[in-house]
Amino acid sequence: MAIISLPRLLDPATGGVHRLDVEGNTLGAVIDELLSQIPGLEVHLFDHGGSLRPHVLCFVDGEPSRLEDRTVEADPNTDVRFLQAVSGG
């Protein structure tokens, strides 16, 4: 299980959901469950190869992660935060 935090920029895809408790024993299972609960989110977070999009930031328990190793165990207190980088001039 993990606690997922999503940015307000994704409100159109999440229906305004910013925090979810998601079941799963690994990061991969947690991500799969997140995407099954909010299917429209996948195109905003991941490319066609399943990698995080370049402008998407992810932090797992406060550490930056590109989610390459999705076999990492998730416990009930695992904190997964997604942010979208904003740039421009």
Side-chain angles (χ1 to χ4, degrees), residues 38-70:
I38 308 175
L41 193 57
E42 185 169 14
V43 298
H44 296 282
L45 298 179
F46 299 98
D47 62 20
H48 294 293
S51 297
L52 280 176
R53 292 188 176 280
H55 65 279
V56 175
L57 307 174
C58 180
F59 296 87
V60 178
D61 292 331
E63 296 294 322
S65 175
R66 293 304 295 167
L67 296 177
E68 295 93 353
D69 185 3
R70 295 184 188 187

Side-chain angles (χ1 to χ4, degrees), residues 22-50:
V22 179
E23 295 288 332
N25 294 328
T26 64
L27 283 179
V30 166
I31 298 301
D32 289 345
E33 180 60 24
L34 169 67
L35 297 178
S36 76
Q37 289 186 29
I38 308 175
L41 193 57
E42 185 169 14
V43 298
H44 296 282
L45 298 179
F46 299 98
D47 62 20
H48 294 293

